[in-house]
Amino acid sequence: GEDVEQSLFLSVREGDSSVINCTYTDSSSTYLYWYKQEPGAGLQLLTYIFSNMDMKQDQRLTVLLNKKDKHLSLRIADTQTGDSAIYFCAEISNQAGTALIFGKGTTLSVSS
Amino acid sequence: DAGVTQSPTHLIKTRGQQVTLRCSPISGHKSVSWYQQVLGQGPQFIFQYYEKEERGRGNFPDRFSARQFPNYSSELNVNALLLGDSALYLCASSLEGGGGDEQYFGPGTRLTVT
């Protein structure tokens, strides 16, 4: 079945880089996404990567995709306290339309 | 431009009651999806609609139903509420609901069942 796994917590100091990791199971996933959720809020789309790419950079964000290992990572450079949030990795389901299958989320805590 | 809007923001219901949640997509978006997010978990897919037709359904009981209107807004209905239905219900809109479409989420409706 489809499943997305993420580590639950990450703690970093302000100014450091953060790396959030994710593994997925559906090798036919065409798009993989990163969303951010702040307390009490909905989900904010951060970035996404097409499966024929292995890297995508967008300002402070870098996404790396290892299709062979079904591993996705999100690197946040120069992490700020405002980056503290829950980060969700998601893949497109092939079994239910174009539904997103989410991981449980990684809570990023940034200390000053 | 307004983002995805959802109403109400919060709702408290009693077991056995019925609830209707509403969603207005971003202007120009024709697809709406619904997700349930239980505390401490990632969102789980419930339904996707495109041009008023159901395009996909997640693993939820028949107590959950939805529809999409000609103006592309959508309603999610849940009958015979259970305590386990307490969650944040998120609506997402996209242009056509295709695999490469970006899905934009609303702020959600927090449902508490007592």
Side-chain angles (χ1 to χ4, degrees):
Chain A
E2 299 165 320
D3 200 10
V4 177
E5 300 281 342
Q6 298 179 240
S7 52
L8 294 182
F9 298 101
L10 178 64
S11 182
V12 301
R13 288 184 179 270
E14 194 173 23
D16 288 350
S17 290
S18 307
V19 180
I20 301 170
N21 295 300
C22 167
T23 57
Y24 60 97
T25 54
D26 189 347
S27 58
S28 61
S29 284
T30 51
Y31 292 89
L32 295 141
Y33 299 82
W34 284 103
Y35 281 86
K36 175 184 179 183
Q37 187 175 37
E38 297 185 64
L43 298 170
Q44 175 193 353
L45 175 63
L46 287 177
T47 187
Y48 65 95
I49 189 167
F50 187 50
S51 59
N52 69 352
M53 300 168 67
D54 44 24
M55 186 182 92
K56 180 179 180 181
Q57 188 153 2
D58 184 0
Q59 299 183 330
R60 292 192 298 125
L61 305 178
T62 302
V63 179
L64 295 177
L65 175 60
N66 181 328
K67 246 191 128 175
K68 175 176 165 287
D69 295 338
K70 297 178 194 167
H71 183 264
L72 184 73
S73 68
L74 174 70
R75 178 177 179 270
I76 306 172
D78 187 26
T79 313
Q80 303 297 307
T81 54
D83 294 324
S84 293
I86 303 175
Y87 290 81
F88 292 95
C89 167
E91 64 174 339
I92 289 279
S93 166
N94 282 321
Q95 295 182 16
T98 53
L100 292 172
I101 307 296
F102 286 88
K104 290 185 177 179
T106 299
T107 298
L108 175 63
S109 175
V110 183
S111 57
S112 56
Chain B
D1 281 345
V4 178
T5 58
Q6 293 186 244
S7 63
T9 307
H10 295 90
L11 205 50
I12 300 175
K13 290 285 189 178
T14 305
R15 273 177 299 177
Q17 286 188 314
Q18 175 262 341
V19 70
T20 299
L21 311 181
R22 295 176 177 83
C23 171
S24 291
I26 292 170
S27 176
H29 284 194
K30 298 179 180 178
S31 180
V32 168
S33 297
W34 287 95
Y35 291 81
Q36 180 197 64
Q37 186 179 20
V38 172
L39 198 61
Q41 302 291 318
Q44 285 213 306
F45 172 72
I46 311 175
F47 286 110
Q48 184 187 30
Y49 277 78
Y50 173 67
E51 289 280 13
K52 296 169 290 190
E53 298 289 326
E54 182 184 300
R55 177 176 270 180
R57 173 187 283 255
N59 189 22
F60 279 80
D62 291 343
R63 299 185 295 108
F64 288 76
S65 64
R67 55 181 174 166
Q68 187 178 31
F69 298 99
N71 66 354
Y72 304 110
S73 67
S74 177
E75 285 182 352
L76 175 71
N77 294 286
V78 187
N79 292 324
L81 284 166
L82 303 174
L83 295 179
D85 295 330
S86 295
L88 180 67
Y89 287 84
L90 295 163
C91 172
S93 81
S94 61
L95 276 170
E96 295 185 351
D101 274 359
E102 298 171 16
Q103 293 193 38
Y104 295 91
F105 283 79
T109 294
R110 172 76 59 189
L111 173 65
T112 302
V113 182
T114 62

